[in-house]
Amino acid sequence: MDFPFEPFKIKVVEPLRSTTREERDRIIKEAGFNLFNIPADSILVDLLTDSGTSAMSDNQWAGLMVGDESYAGSRNYFNFEAAVREIFGFRHIIPTHQGRMAENLLFSVVLKPGDLVPNNTHFDTTRANVQHNGGMAVDLLNPAGRDPHTEQPFKGNMDVQALEDLIQKHGRGKIPLVMMTITNNSAGGQPVSMANIRETREVCQRHGIPMFFDACRFAENCFFIKDREPGYANRSILEIAQELFSYGDGCTMSAKKDGLVNIGGFLATNNADWAGRVTNLLILIEGFPTYGGLAGRDLEAMARGFREVLNEDYLRFRVGQIRYLGQQLDRAGVPIIKPTGGHAVYLNARDFLPHIPQYQFPGQALAVALYREAGIRSVEIGSLMFAQRDPETGETTYPDLELVRLAVPRRVYTSMHMSYVAEAIISIYKRREQITGLRIVHESPYLRHFTAQLEEV
Ligand code: P71
């Protein structure tokens, strides 16, 4: 097993509170068996998301002290702009408070009702913002990406032939842009290869359609390219990122992931007309263009985070820590999605709990068991999140995959924490027949997984 070495030492610590099994039994009942309802103080290892949960470096914290809170033209904006321009290279750079605001602004400006947006796989907020603006979000993931049992180096890739067919069928007039999500979060944090990006670019160019990146986890994607794709072993992460973004016309970015900050994002584009229209809307709903809904100090933390995230020792540790957790589980026979991605390990709950039918939420049952057993919070990505009931026939369609995501915050937990998580999961796996299913007692009409109340069957 490759042992992931933390390339940092700890200067400030945040205590974790242990709870007893009895306390957790009470807390989970009071939370309606929904982990979103648990106060974070009652959680030992929080793997709900890697978004906005990073630990900042001493250099970033020092940057907060040189925050300039001028309404217009803050020096931190120029530092932020310089960092983004160097890595991403786009002409117009518009800060936002997080990723979904960049999506909202972009799709408000470029979409007209009935338009299509192809993507290797839309993340939920991206899909929602496309739909909210009258568009249709089309996922064109390559077939290997959909199979939880095949191991391939770039399972996040776009199905380029399907993209070509979609454009042929609907015409470029209906497709204002093509999106590429790196890494592909909804497909397991799997990377996209440079070759696939180039091929996608070629199709877009031939039809005169702009290509945008959803760049949330771009540095992790670039590390996978360096590690796995022929021809990149001797290139720096910065050089790989520069090449990658040179194929695009713009991007949306949630800096809460590979910006190594707790809040922030941006929209970038080479299209002056789109940038102008986005900026007008930005001033109306978000803020002046040199702060975009953030404080000056947040922009400084982002500027420094973007430079730090390119560090190869850090990325080797980051990807290695996820792999290390995955390897421990895999060796004990625990069913996971392979290979492990850049930011999370995904448990395959259907294979883990074959005795629980999908309508009794095996993914959620497993996430609940993990909290009860060890105070670990994960997130279900399965029937609770995605099953859809037809309002006319009353029939429910279930998603293909029933997963539990263990998303690892950046620079927050040590490899010993990962071993603790692995041990807890292995111990649950050994007595998995004792875990029972759940049923919903209350749900809201959309995004029910955030607020649903459940009980044990
Ligand atoms: C994740 C998140 C955060 C999240 C968001 C909504 C519900 C639950 C958790 C956010 C992403 C993402 C990609 C690929 C855009 C966003 C939105 N991911 N694209 O995975 O993964 O960014 O949160 O800054 O608005 O837990 P934002």
Side-chain angles (χ1 to χ4, degrees):
M1 196 175 299
D2 310 319
F3 198 78
F5 179 83
E6 285 86 2
F8 47 80
K9 58 183 178 174
I10 295 163
K11 178 145 49 192
V12 178
V13 296
E14 187 179 341
L16 293 173
R17 190 175 83 90
S18 296
T19 47
T20 62
R21 175 76 199 213
E22 290 67 39
E23 277 178 90
R24 291 195 294 275
D25 283 345
R26 178 180 54 75
I27 290 166
I28 194 77
K29 272 204 190 82
E30 283 171 7
F33 295 89
N34 185 337
L35 296 148
F36 284 101
N37 293 336
I38 297 180
D41 277 352
S42 302
I43 285 160
L44 193 61
V45 181
D46 201 346
L47 306 181
L48 182 66
T49 179
D50 65 319
S51 178
T53 52
S54 299
M56 292 204 295
S57 66
D58 51 359
N59 178 49
Q60 286 176 293
W61 279 102
L64 298 188
M65 283 307 292
V66 293
D68 165 17
E69 305 308 336
S70 301
Y71 190 92
S74 158
R75 70 171 91 90
N76 312 113
Y77 170 77
F78 298 110
N79 293 345
F80 156 78
E81 189 191 32
V84 174
R85 169 108 0 89
E86 184 184 5
I87 301 164
F88 298 80
F90 301 119
R91 268 199 288 286
H92 307 279
I93 297 162
I94 298 156
T96 60
H97 78 277
Q98 62 184 89
R100 67 195 72 180
M101 178 52 86
E103 295 163 1
N104 180 358
L105 291 165
L106 177 66
F107 296 125
S108 297
V109 162
V110 309
L111 284 187
K112 52 182 187 342
D115 278 351
L116 304 176
V117 178
N119 195 325
N120 48 347
T121 314
H122 287 84
F123 182 66
D124 315 24
T125 57
T126 323
R127 177 187 315 283
N129 274 299
V130 168
Q131 291 169 348
H132 184 68
N133 286 289
M136 214 168 87
V138 186
D139 290 342
L140 300 176
L141 181 63
N142 75 96
R146 276 182 255 129
D147 181 351
H149 302 286
T150 52
E151 274 199 63
Q152 277 186 23
F154 292 102
K155 284 175 78 173
N157 280 353
M158 177 85 80
D159 185 337
V160 180
Q161 188 56 49
L163 176 65
E164 177 73 50
D165 296 346
L166 188 86
I167 300 170
Q168 296 281 356
K169 183 164 169 214
H170 297 276
R172 75 132 301 180
K174 276 212 156 311
I175 305 177
L177 53 77
V178 170
M179 291 283 287
M180 181 70 106
T181 304
I182 53 170
T183 56
N184 191 331
N185 184 8
S186 307
Q190 300 292 329
V192 177
S193 70
M194 194 73 90
N196 186 253
I197 289 167
R198 248 185 258 116
E199 285 165 27
T200 304
R201 171 66 180 167
E202 200 272 314
V203 172
C204 289
Q205 229 162 15
R206 195 149 28 77
H207 294 279
I209 300 173
M211 179 163 99
F212 271 60
F213 290 97
D214 177 338
C216 285
R217 299 177 179 85
F218 76 96
E220 289 161 12
N221 201 106
C222 290
F223 184 81
F224 281 118
I225 288 174
K226 183 177 170 99
D227 201 39
R228 296 179 182 174
E229 192 161 353
Y232 289 93
N234 296 319
R235 306 271 297 277
S236 72
I237 300 297
L238 175 63
E239 288 167 335
I240 295 171
Q242 286 170 333
E243 181 189 336
L244 186 154
F245 290 115
S246 76
Y247 299 125
D249 301 283
C251 71
T252 57
M253 172 84 192
S254 167
K256 296 173 74 170
K257 287 83 171 170
D258 274 350
L260 297 174
V261 289
N262 307 117
I263 195 75
F266 68 85
L267 170 62
T269 171
N270 288 334
N271 183 319
D273 171 47
W274 285 3
R277 285 154 64 198
V278 163
T279 302
N280 291 335
L281 193 56
L282 182 86
I283 294 170
L284 183 71
I285 64 177
E286 179 81 332
F288 190 73
T290 60
Y291 72 83
L294 293 164
R297 56 178 171 271
D298 298 328
L299 290 163
E300 188 61 37
M302 247 202 297
R304 295 178 185 214
F306 284 138
R307 295 193 195 281
E308 283 177 19
V309 81
L310 304 174
N311 181 295
E312 240 164 76
D313 289 337
Y314 157 73
L315 286 168
R316 187 172 301 107
F317 160 71
R318 168 71 178 156
V319 166
Q321 191 181 45
I322 308 290
R323 185 175 51 230
Y324 175 67
L325 173 58
Q327 279 176 345
Q328 290 179 77
L329 295 170
D330 188 38
R331 283 181 192 187
V334 176
I336 62 168
I337 304 285
K338 290 192 280 188
T340 46
H343 67 294
V345 173
Y346 293 72
L347 304 174
N348 187 340
R350 267 180 120 168
D351 291 353
F352 198 115
L353 300 172
H355 61 284
I356 301 183
Q358 255 189 312
Y359 64 86
Q360 289 181 358
F361 307 110
Q364 186 66 11
L366 180 53
V368 164
L370 200 47
Y371 176 70
R372 280 182 146 167
E373 176 77 16
I376 297 162
R377 175 155 66 175
S378 53
V379 68
E380 186 254 21
I381 303 185
S383 303
L384 186 60
M385 196 177 267
F386 292 129
Q388 289 194 345
R389 194 178 314 124
D390 188 312
E392 266 141 51
T393 65
E395 238 171 85
T396 305
T397 38
Y398 291 93
D400 292 339
L401 296 179
E402 198 67 50
L403 305 177
V404 172
R405 184 180 77 169
L406 308 161
V408 182
R410 294 172 182 75
R411 305 192 294 205
V412 170
Y413 296 115
T414 63
S415 303
M416 200 54 88
H417 286 111
M418 294 301 108
S419 295
Y420 169 81
V421 170
E423 253 188 50
I425 295 171
I426 292 164
S427 113
I428 294 172
Y429 189 62
K430 286 184 181 148
R431 48 167 196 79
R432 55 191 179 278
E433 315 74 37
Q434 294 167 20
I435 296 174
T436 55
L438 299 163
R439 75 167 78 91
I440 293 182
V441 288
H442 170 80
E443 65 182 301
S444 50
Y446 18 69
L447 296 174
R448 66 174 181 183
H449 52 283
F450 288 118
T451 53
Q453 300 272 321
L454 301 100
E455 65 184 14
E456 285 176 290
V457 174

